[in-house]
Amino acid sequence: WHPEHRFAKTKGVVKTRVGYCGGKKSHPSYRSMGDHTETVQIDYESEQIHYEELIEMFWEMHDPTVRCGGQSQQYASKIFFHNEAQREVAEESKKKREEIVGCKLFTSIEPFVSFHKAEGYHQHYIAKQGEGGCNVM
């Protein structure tokens, strides 16, 4: 849940919450998420931070050239867009990132359908537990 912690500390980000997105299971949970992916949902003030900046932070927080968890969807690298403008920004950003790193990224860009908030003990987990432990890039 390190990305949630980093986004939450970003100027212009109003609210973050962790949860599950992209799957068909109706009531996913950490122990039974089905085909969902762990995600961070972000509310932000577009006058203070732009979507493009959030996408850039996303790329910098992990290595999208590595498929985490094998074929599992739990840790898959995904961007869920809410509208056509976000899709275009995400696709263009991915294309530029592939040129920078010189290889294909395992990040999928998918339409947002629904978000299922994770259990309470997962919310702001790093802020509650401290920043030690496993880190993302």
Side-chain angles (χ1 to χ4, degrees):
W1 301 119
H2 282 271
E4 183 274 336
H5 184 63
R6 292 189 183 171
F7 281 120
K9 296 188 324 184
T10 301
K11 184 179 179 185
V13 171
V14 178
K15 182 179 179 181
T16 60
R17 55 226 160 268
V18 295
Y20 317 109
C21 195
K24 293 182 175 52
K25 185 174 177 73
S26 59
H27 298 288
S29 68
Y30 185 72
R31 300 266 181 241
S32 178
M33 68 180 62
D35 58 347
H36 286 277
T37 300
E38 290 183 4
T39 58
V40 178
Q41 192 172 52
I42 304 166
D43 295 344
Y44 64 98
E45 293 290 339
S46 59
E47 301 82 30
Q48 293 184 13
I49 189 166
H50 299 282
Y51 182 71
E52 293 85 352
E53 294 172 276
L54 296 171
I55 293 293
E56 189 61 31
M57 287 179 66
F58 168 80
W59 296 127
E60 293 171 3
M61 284 185 209
H62 73 294
D63 184 355
T65 65
V66 175
R67 190 183 310 256
C68 293
Q71 299 301 316
S72 169
Q73 292 300 303
Q74 181 175 1
Y75 302 119
S77 177
K78 295 185 179 190
I79 297 171
F80 295 98
F81 62 87
H82 290 261
N83 56 49
E84 188 61 19
Q86 285 184 351
R87 185 196 64 76
E88 290 173 7
V89 166
E91 292 283 357
E92 184 61 30
S93 178
K94 179 181 177 183
K95 182 179 174 184
K96 287 179 184 175
R97 183 58 62 155
E98 287 177 333
E99 291 171 4
I100 290 168
V101 300
C103 65
K104 181 183 183 314
L105 303 183
F106 289 108
T107 302
S108 63
I109 298 170
E110 303 176 11
F112 172 84
V113 176
S114 64
F115 176 83
H116 304 273
K117 191 173 176 180
E119 298 80 358
Y121 65 93
H122 288 294
Q123 303 303 322
H124 306 285
Y125 184 83
I126 302 302
K128 293 185 264 186
Q129 301 297 317
E131 295 195 40
C134 179
N135 287 306
V136 291
M137 296 175 79

